[in-house]
Amino acid sequence: MKQSSLHVAIIMDGNGRWATDLGLPRALGHRAGAEALRRVVEAAPDLGVSTLTAYAFSADNWQRPQEEVDALMHLLAWYLEDETPRMLADGVRLSVIGRRDRLPPRLLEAIRAGEAMTRACTKIHLRLAIDYSAREAILRASQSFGGGTITREAFEQLLGQENPVDLLIRTGGEQRLSDFLLWECAYAELFFTRVMWPEYGAMDLRLALDQFRKRERRFGTVPDAKARPASQERWLH
Ligand code: FPP
């Protein structure tokens, strides 16, 4: 059965290496990465994705050279300012997850405007993670709880999780989570690809989703003999 309300999370890795390999400044890799995100958001609803969470800037990314941090902050503000009218027209609801208190005013204003203008959009929910750390998010949710016993559902509300991640994609050839959605990915299927993020597009997303749909998700239970693919090798890539 084709599940058509998937939550896909993407670690958009490889911008810097892509640019360096072409003899370009890293900032141009991030610029091309922003274009790739635009392509993927456009393609995602028709591929059955209802929520897309993309890792744009981690809490640890502040440790990059100041020039690169400035370029990323500028690019994020530009992207949101430029993209908000299109998101509104295309039915894309924008949310930003992560800390806000360290972001520059122009970016904060772009986030505020983007979230407010697209609030009623329903075609796809784009969640951009900016100054995000999953461990910090879990700590903050714990601290905001008054005490006593808490249910998993209540904790997930404090965490701001609306639905768990079904598929986590990481581009750029690395195979790690980098402090992204650690709770939400408890039963996510993982998909790693060598494609550098600036070159990623609709066909790559389709391939990842095709692989995902061939996997049997057991959530800790025993295999369903009827649902199991003939060979486990079909799950590997
Ligand atoms: C990882 O590539 C990517 C980032 C740290 C930032 C992700 C940002 C973008 C995709 C562009 C900006 C996004 C928007 C929405 C405007 P890397 O720099 O770590 O690449 P490397 O591993 O090759 O060095």
Side-chain angles (χ1 to χ4, degrees):
M1 191 182 68
K2 182 174 165 177
Q3 191 185 343
S4 60
S5 56
L6 295 172
H7 183 179
V8 172
I10 306 191
I11 300 179
M12 308 181 286
D13 195 13
N15 297 339
R17 280 166 289 158
W18 177 84
T20 306
D21 287 351
L22 292 173
L24 300 169
R26 290 175 59 86
L28 283 188
H30 296 311
R31 172 74 199 246
E35 298 298 333
L37 181 62
R38 199 195 306 267
R39 290 195 294 274
V40 165
V41 172
E42 199 180 343
D46 287 343
L47 296 172
V49 178
S50 58
T51 305
L52 187 74
T53 306
Y55 209 178
F57 191 88
S58 81
D60 290 324
N61 285 156
W62 292 112
Q63 295 164 46
R64 293 190 173 205
Q66 192 59 44
E67 193 186 343
E68 182 165 342
V69 169
D70 291 344
L72 276 165
M73 291 297 132
H74 178 79
L75 182 63
L76 284 163
W78 167 81
Y79 179 87
L80 293 179
E81 290 163 1
D82 195 55
E83 205 57 17
T84 293
R86 190 195 309 241
M87 289 195 279
L88 189 58
D90 291 350
V92 180
R93 175 179 157 214
L94 170 79
S95 300
V96 171
I97 58 170
R99 280 177 69 163
R100 304 239 172 147
D101 57 311
R102 299 189 286 197
L103 302 181
R106 181 179 157 204
L107 176 53
L108 277 176
E109 175 51 26
I111 293 171
R112 191 204 58 74
E115 288 184 333
M117 285 174 71
T118 64
R119 185 171 296 139
C121 294
T122 55
K123 194 165 175 194
I124 186 169
H125 187 186
L126 171 64
R127 300 163 82 227
L128 265 190
I130 301 177
D131 196 1
Y132 175 83
S133 152
R135 288 172 300 180
E136 271 186 32
I138 291 167
L139 271 179
R140 265 201 314 278
S142 318
Q143 286 155 0
S144 68
F145 177 61
T149 310
I150 188 166
T151 63
R152 188 191 291 176
E153 291 73 21
F155 188 76
E156 286 172 350
Q157 265 198 342
L158 291 176
L159 203 54
Q161 173 181 308
E162 58 177 47
N163 48 3
V165 174
D166 295 298
L167 172 65
L168 175 97
I169 299 169
R170 183 174 187 138
T171 63
E174 311 287 354
Q175 302 192 4
R176 55 176 167 264
L177 294 179
S178 300
D179 203 8
F180 190 43
L181 302 175
L182 299 180
W183 179 289
E184 294 86 340
C185 281
Y187 273 104
E189 296 293 327
L190 308 181
F191 185 90
F192 301 105
T193 171
R194 288 195 183 88
V195 176
M196 297 289 151
W197 177 250
E199 297 193 332
Y200 202 83
M203 290 305 289
D204 300 288
L205 181 61
R206 179 186 293 276
L207 176 78
L209 286 162
D210 284 349
Q211 296 262 352
F212 167 81
R213 289 188 169 107
K214 286 180 189 149
R215 297 185 190 181
E216 184 194 8
R217 303 185 75 194
R218 292 200 294 276
F219 300 97
T221 65
V222 294
D224 175 350
K226 285 191 289 278
R228 194 174 51 201
S231 162
Q232 179 139 346
E233 277 171 15
R234 288 174 53 194
W235 306 358
L236 304 175
H237 53 88

